[in-house]
Amino acid sequence: MTSCKNQCLKAAPRLVDKATRECGQAGSGESAWVALKDFARCSDAHLLAIAGAVWEHLGAPHSQARWQALELCARLWPRSAAFRHALMRDIPTFVQLVCAIAPAASAGRAAAARGGLPPPEHWAKQLHRRGVELIERWHASHGHLPEYRQLDLARRRVCTSAASASASLDDGPQAQRWAEQWQQLRDGGAEASLAEAAAAVVQLGTCVQIMAPVMDEADGADEAAAAASGARGGARGEAAAAAAGQAAAAAGEAGPGKG
């Protein structure tokens, strides 16, 4: 493996370009993929550089180029949480770029994708089918986790796209409703994460109390043990004193008789 210190972040676009072309060429081997994996293992910064380059390919003006980038996403998704999070930060745009379904109020990369998938048509169809397939797969594997809650809306959106294919999704009340739902999921995901963290703290505190008594309880137990020990010592002292008294009395009675 090449030393990480020699792996400049600026190399990411070149490595991604080679890896995406390799995805679309049968029998081309996996040398570009291996080089990309080595680069990604260096650090999260290297992986985020890869994600940024992949986004550029997903917005290409040719559906085959987008399909190749999507195949690279399919390989990176199960291998890297950092890459998954990079996609999840803008999953509405991802859905638009690979499925031509935009929830209104889209901006940035999604703006270039409005109006449907780019030509050629047969690659656009393959891109759409593969995009729907991956969203359903990712929802099945990660959709139950709080940070991936937007996959649920993405899945429902692409599954119902056929029925509304003839409708414009860039304006009107339907588009606005989808935009609001995307935002609610984004906000709700952060709130859910905070709530789960707070619950975990409470559970941890309960476990600590069960395993180790609090200070007041420990002090009370020490005082009770000391009192019990003192009581036992006092009883032994009283018994010893009584025995000594009886012995003295017996000795006094025996003394006059001998005289």
Side-chain angles (χ1 to χ4, degrees):
M1 181 190 296
T2 304
S3 175
C4 286
K5 66 180 181 180
N6 296 325
Q7 295 276 21
C8 177
L9 294 178
K10 293 181 180 179
R14 174 177 55 81
L15 292 170
V16 169
D17 185 61
K18 289 184 176 181
T20 52
R21 288 202 306 268
E22 189 176 81
C23 286
Q25 297 176 358
S28 60
E30 293 197 338
S31 59
W33 167 244
V34 172
L36 189 68
K37 286 196 299 182
D38 290 345
F39 181 87
R41 290 193 184 104
C42 289
S43 71
D44 282 349
H46 288 74
L47 198 46
L48 291 177
I50 289 175
V54 170
W55 272 116
E56 295 301 321
H57 282 262
L58 287 171
H62 194 288
S63 280
Q64 182 181 10
R66 293 192 187 187
W67 177 86
Q68 291 172 331
L70 186 60
E71 288 301 313
L72 194 57
C73 291
R75 303 187 76 171
L76 289 168
W77 177 276
R79 291 174 169 84
S80 169
F83 181 82
R84 292 194 296 270
H85 294 159
L87 283 188
M88 291 304 300
R89 290 190 188 100
D90 202 359
I91 195 67
T93 296
F94 177 83
V95 172
Q96 166 65 358
L97 290 173
V98 301
C99 299
I101 299 170
S106 301
R109 290 179 293 266
R114 288 191 181 117
L117 298 174
E121 183 178 355
H122 70 282
W123 277 110
K125 291 179 179 178
Q126 289 190 47
L127 174 63
H128 178 86
R129 285 195 297 269
R130 183 59 166 158
V132 172
E133 176 188 343
L134 287 178
I135 289 170
E136 290 182 337
R137 180 186 301 176
W138 295 346
H139 175 267
S141 62
H142 291 83
H144 62 287
L145 301 173
E147 60 268 37
Y148 298 97
R149 291 178 68 238
Q150 291 188 71
L151 284 174
D152 182 61
L153 185 58
R155 175 179 172 274
R156 287 188 285 122
R157 192 70 189 97
V158 298
C159 288
T160 59
S161 63
S164 58
S166 60
S168 172
L169 295 175
D170 289 325
D171 53 23
Q174 180 186 18
Q176 183 60 35
R177 183 168 63 254
W178 280 105
E180 292 172 355
Q181 289 181 327
W182 283 115
Q183 190 59 45
Q184 288 172 1
L185 278 176
R186 283 191 175 117
D187 298 339
E191 293 175 0
S193 297
L194 290 174
E196 289 189 355
V201 171
V202 172
Q203 291 179 348
L204 179 60
T206 302
C207 292
V208 170
Q209 287 185 354
I210 292 173
M211 296 175 65
V214 296
M215 189 66 69
D216 292 342
E217 293 175 348
D219 290 344
D222 290 343
E223 291 175 358
S229 177
R232 288 193 296 270
R236 285 196 296 268
E238 290 177 358
Q246 292 176 356
E253 292 177 355
K258 290 181 181 180

